[in-house]
Amino acid sequence: MAAQYCALCRRTAFAGRRHRYSAAHRRRLREALGRLQEEVAAARAAAAAAGEDGGGAVRPYDPAEHDRRVWCLCCGRGVRRDGRRGGLALPRAGLLQHLAGPEHRRETARFWRENGAEAAERERFLVPAEEYERFARALEQALAAHRQREEERIQQMAAGIREAERRQRETVQAALQLQQEPEPCTGPSVGSSPVAPERDASCNADQPGPSGMQAGPDLNWMESGQALTFIGHQEAEGRGNVHTGAKPPWLTEKEDGSKQQIGPSYEEFLKQILFLEEKQKLKKLPAERVGANFDHTSQTGDSWLPSFGRVWNHGRRWQSRHQFRTESGEKKKKR
């Protein structure tokens, strides 16, 4: 008897078509169809709710919630559960569209035929085309209503912003008018006391003009107990900084008319850059390398090739050999 692979049980059965009537296969089929039946029932309930009042048919899109997939046992692939329209999520719309499609209907018939499921239960895993059309129309109405609500909300926000700006302009204009209007000053009446000149001086101080120039800032707006004492503008001749209106130091000129140089010159800057580059190169080399302390001041002829292999890094290699032989001979003589 030919072997047959069961995708539901994930094993090869050597009993042929009798495997689909076994107790293990029926149990797995019942459990798998039960999980799919829960998702189908939830999708059809969402379609019925959207058809009644459109509640819950449109929600703000959240990737963590609305990017889930549902495993379709009949088609053998994952199906996106929710739909998406711009920044909005359509709950269960993707699964409903799949359940109402012709491909799912064809694959469901094949799955029922291969696994020996109850024929009466097959319609429970399908969505009629009329039901999906009603859901699609309700979904379009819900989207239109949501767009209208968003437009109204935006218009209300814009009106609130305009009203706040209008109040702010009125407040600023009222404050400017209060500053521009001088306080009325009554002159000395007949038979007044001799302290009238003092009052006249105080009135003249508040009036605009050369005689009523204000010496300091107006601190009347500050609360009692928190007023600060104004000691006058501190200005110095020929001194200051860029914040007080003085000329920057790099634009000041010397007595001979030449501009003052600030910082190092361009040549010194290049020397410093070269010095840093050479120092960085020396850091990368090992300090105990051969020839690190070589004496470059020693004199050699043009016929000599460069050699710095002496033990003490001073002189030439042949000098090191000659000194080593001399010291070895002296030690042998002492022995």
Side-chain angles (χ1 to χ4, degrees):
M1 188 172 292
Q4 184 180 3
Y5 178 75
C6 179
L8 184 63
C9 300
R10 295 181 181 179
R11 70 184 186 89
T12 302
F14 295 93
R17 293 183 176 272
R18 290 184 300 175
H19 168 72
R20 62 185 184 179
Y21 300 106
S22 63
H25 177 79
R26 304 293 293 182
R27 176 174 54 81
R28 292 189 179 90
L29 178 63
R30 186 168 54 254
E31 292 175 354
L33 289 178
R35 291 191 294 268
L36 181 59
Q37 175 61 27
E38 293 178 359
E39 296 291 342
V40 175
R44 300 188 74 170
E52 293 176 358
D53 55 355
V58 178
R59 296 179 184 176
Y61 176 74
D62 183 10
E65 181 182 358
H66 300 111
D67 280 350
R68 288 185 51 193
R69 289 183 174 270
V70 177
W71 179 258
C72 181
L73 184 65
C74 303
C75 301
R77 65 185 182 90
V79 179
R80 190 164 182 169
R81 186 189 65 178
D82 302 331
R84 182 179 179 183
R85 187 74 63 86
L88 300 176
L90 314 177
R92 312 287 176 175
L95 181 58
L96 282 170
Q97 184 180 9
H98 172 75
L99 295 175
E103 181 183 0
H104 175 73
R105 184 176 294 274
R106 183 173 59 253
E107 292 298 325
T108 301
R110 179 193 59 78
F111 181 83
W112 246 250
R113 191 169 54 250
E114 292 180 356
N115 293 277
E118 296 293 336
E121 297 182 356
R122 187 174 66 178
E123 293 299 326
R124 298 170 58 185
F125 296 87
L126 300 174
V127 174
E130 297 81 5
E131 182 177 350
Y132 180 73
E133 289 178 0
R134 289 195 299 270
F135 169 73
R137 289 194 296 268
L139 199 60
E140 292 297 332
Q141 294 177 1
L143 287 171
H146 178 79
R147 285 194 292 267
Q148 184 177 0
R149 289 194 300 270
E150 286 295 318
E151 290 178 359
E152 293 177 357
R153 186 177 65 87
I154 292 173
Q155 291 178 1
Q156 292 177 359
M157 292 175 61
I161 293 172
R162 287 193 295 267
E163 180 65 19
E165 291 178 350
R166 184 185 64 80
R167 292 179 180 177
Q168 185 178 8
R169 286 195 300 268
E170 291 179 354
T171 304
V172 173
Q173 291 176 0
L176 292 176
Q177 290 177 0
L178 289 177
Q179 291 180 0
Q180 292 175 0
E181 293 178 358
E183 295 183 359
C185 247
T186 59
S189 60
V190 179
S192 60
S193 60
V195 296
E198 297 180 357
R199 189 170 63 179
D200 294 342
S202 63
C203 291
N204 292 333
D206 296 335
Q207 294 179 359
S211 60
M213 295 297 291
Q214 190 173 0
D218 185 12
L219 300 178
N220 295 328
W221 58 270
M222 303 186 69
E223 297 180 1
S224 60
Q226 296 184 359
L228 303 177
T229 303
F230 181 72
I231 61 175
H233 297 284
Q234 303 296 318
E235 297 181 357
E237 293 292 336
R239 291 184 298 175
N241 51 31
V242 293
H243 303 288
T244 59
K247 185 179 292 186
W250 54 86
L251 295 180
T252 57
E253 298 180 354
K254 296 182 181 179
E255 296 179 355
D256 56 354
S258 60
K259 291 185 178 181
Q260 184 178 0
Q261 183 177 355
I262 304 298
S265 61
Y266 184 68
E267 291 77 10
E268 294 177 354
F269 173 73
L270 291 179
K271 290 181 181 179
Q272 184 69 15
I273 292 297
L274 295 175
F275 174 74
L276 292 177
E277 290 180 355
E278 293 295 333
K279 190 175 181 181
Q280 190 67 23
K281 291 179 181 178
L282 292 177
K283 284 184 179 179
K284 298 179 181 179
L285 299 176
E288 301 297 333
R289 68 187 186 278
V290 177
N293 300 324
F294 176 67
D295 185 14
H296 294 274
T297 60
S298 58
Q299 300 294 331
T300 55
D302 297 337
S303 60
W304 287 95
L305 294 176
S307 61
F308 45 85
R310 196 174 180 189
V311 179
W312 295 277
N313 291 330
H314 183 79
R316 301 300 172 185
R317 191 170 185 178
W318 62 270
Q319 296 175 354
S320 177
R321 293 198 302 269
H322 177 71
Q323 184 176 0
F324 178 74
R325 291 173 183 174
T326 304
E327 292 177 355
S328 299
E330 292 179 355
K331 290 180 180 180
K332 288 181 181 179
K333 290 179 181 179
K334 291 180 179 178
R335 293 178 183 177

